[in-house]
């Protein structure tokens, strides 16, 4: 597993979305590292991390991150995850709830609705938006073969009904203070899903970004870094 570290202070784990890598967080690292020890991970099979099994589930990705944190001697931490990174965080926060103090879930979901499964099933490199293609090329350290493997894993997730299958009851076991961030124009996960996640997690806040598509935090008009830090370092942070 490849990871990067920046800054000092309370550990803040950052997890990218599917097809991405640690570089997806680089626009935010300067500000975030002023107050935190950043641990930015390449999830299995992404970026410079390997994946000999050539399969991906968010549950297994969560287990990988916990193993890395054990190697680094990190017990308690805060975390942020975008899309698949947020889904891995849901597995982490429900399986070992006492370890995460606060977290930010960006464009995550509790389950895959039909509209997401359709996109995932049909996905190919040629049909992806140009900026998504650019991200895949930038992050695929092993080139075209890695891109093909990732897209095949993305396609396979469309038929997986076990990996992302969180109920209100399972989400209610999360102990972390949680900020749910979502665009109201997300083409994968309609806004009803983040609202349901927010209502199910006991200590949660909700930020719906008007006009925001999937992972809408890169828009310069969206004050993501300041809002996230204000939440993570809020009056109730441990």
């Amino acid at each position: 597993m490849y990871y990067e570290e920046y800054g000092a202070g309370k550990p803040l784990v950052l997890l990218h979305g599917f097809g991405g890598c640690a570089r997806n967080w680089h626009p935010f690292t300067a500000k975030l590292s002023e107050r935190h020890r950043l641990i930015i991970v390449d999830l299995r099979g992404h970026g410079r991390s390997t994946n000999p099994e050539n399969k991906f589930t968010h549950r297994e990705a969560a287990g990988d991150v916990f193993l890395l944190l054990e190697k680094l001697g990190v017990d308690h931490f805060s975390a942020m995850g975008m899309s698949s990174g947020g889904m891995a965080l849901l597995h982490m926060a429900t399986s070992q709830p006492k370890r995460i103090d606060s977290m930010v879930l960006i464009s995550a979901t509790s389950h895959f609705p039909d509209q997401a499964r359709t996109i995932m099933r049909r996905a190919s490199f040629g049909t992806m938006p140009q900026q998504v293609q650019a991200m895949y090329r930038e992050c695929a350290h092993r080139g075209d073969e890695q891109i093909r493997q990732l897209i095949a894993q993305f396609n396979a997730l469309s038929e997986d009904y076990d990996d992302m299958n969180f109920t209100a009851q399972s989400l209610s076991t999360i102990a972390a203070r949680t900020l749910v961030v979502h665009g109201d124009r997300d083409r994968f996960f309609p806004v009803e899903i983040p609202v349901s996640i927010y209502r199910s997690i006991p200590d949660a806040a909700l930020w719906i970004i008007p006009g925001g598509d999937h992972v809408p935090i890169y828009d310069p008009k969206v004050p993501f870094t300041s809002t996230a830090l204000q939440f993570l370092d809020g009056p109730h942070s441990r």
Side-chain angles (χ1 to χ4, degrees), residues 55-128:
K55 67 188 181 85
F56 184 95
T57 68
H58 297 88
R59 181 181 284 107
E60 289 175 322
D64 295 340
V65 177
F66 274 135
L67 287 171
L68 174 64
L69 294 176
E70 283 177 29
K71 291 280 188 187
L72 297 176
V74 173
D75 187 22
H76 287 84
F77 56 94
S78 292
M80 296 201 289
M82 54 177 88
S83 193
S84 273
M87 296 175 224
L89 273 182
L90 283 175
H91 280 287
M92 295 175 72
T94 50
S95 63
Q96 299 188 40
K98 293 181 179 177
R99 292 186 63 184
I100 305 179
D101 295 333
S102 56
M103 66 178 181
V104 179
L105 304 174
I106 305 146
S107 302
T109 189
S110 53
H111 63 283
F112 294 135
D114 288 343
Q115 67 192 64
R117 291 185 187 279
T118 299
I119 295 171
M120 292 152 67
R121 187 180 305 115
R122 295 175 178 172
S124 67
F125 188 75
T127 59
M128 287 178 174

Side-chain angles (χ1 to χ4, degrees), residues 16-24 42-48 56 58 83-84 119-157 187-188 214 218:
H16 61 80
F18 201 93
C21 61
R23 294 181 68 157
N24 297 157
D42 279 356
L43 298 175
R44 58 166 51 201
H46 289 73
R48 289 176 167 84
F56 184 95
H58 297 88
S83 193
S84 273
I119 295 171
M120 292 152 67
R121 187 180 305 115
R122 295 175 178 172
S124 67
F125 188 75
T127 59
M128 287 178 174
Q130 197 166 1
Q131 70 271 23
V132 179
Q133 290 184 5
M135 178 189 73
Y136 267 78
R137 288 210 180 280
E138 184 179 53
C139 285
H141 192 63
R142 295 182 292 281
D144 289 348
E145 179 59 25
Q146 185 176 6
I147 291 174
R148 281 192 291 271
Q149 289 174 343
L150 286 170
I151 292 174
Q153 292 165 23
F154 191 64
N155 297 149
L157 281 173
R187 65 189 186 281
F188 286 93
H214 196 58
Y218 293 96

Side-chain angles (χ1 to χ4, degrees), residues 10 13 20 29 42 50 86 93 102 112 126 162 182 186-187 192 216 222:
K10 179 180 173 59
V13 176
T29 53
D42 279 356
T50 58
S102 56
F112 294 135
D162 173 63
H182 213 86
D186 192 306
R187 65 189 186 281
E192 291 81 10
V222 175

Side-chain angles (χ1 to χ4, degrees), residues 6-8 28-38:
Y6 303 91
F28 312 105
T29 53
K31 280 291 182 190
L32 295 174
S33 63
E34 289 175 5
R35 286 149 72 168
H36 289 272
R37 172 193 175 188
L38 305 185

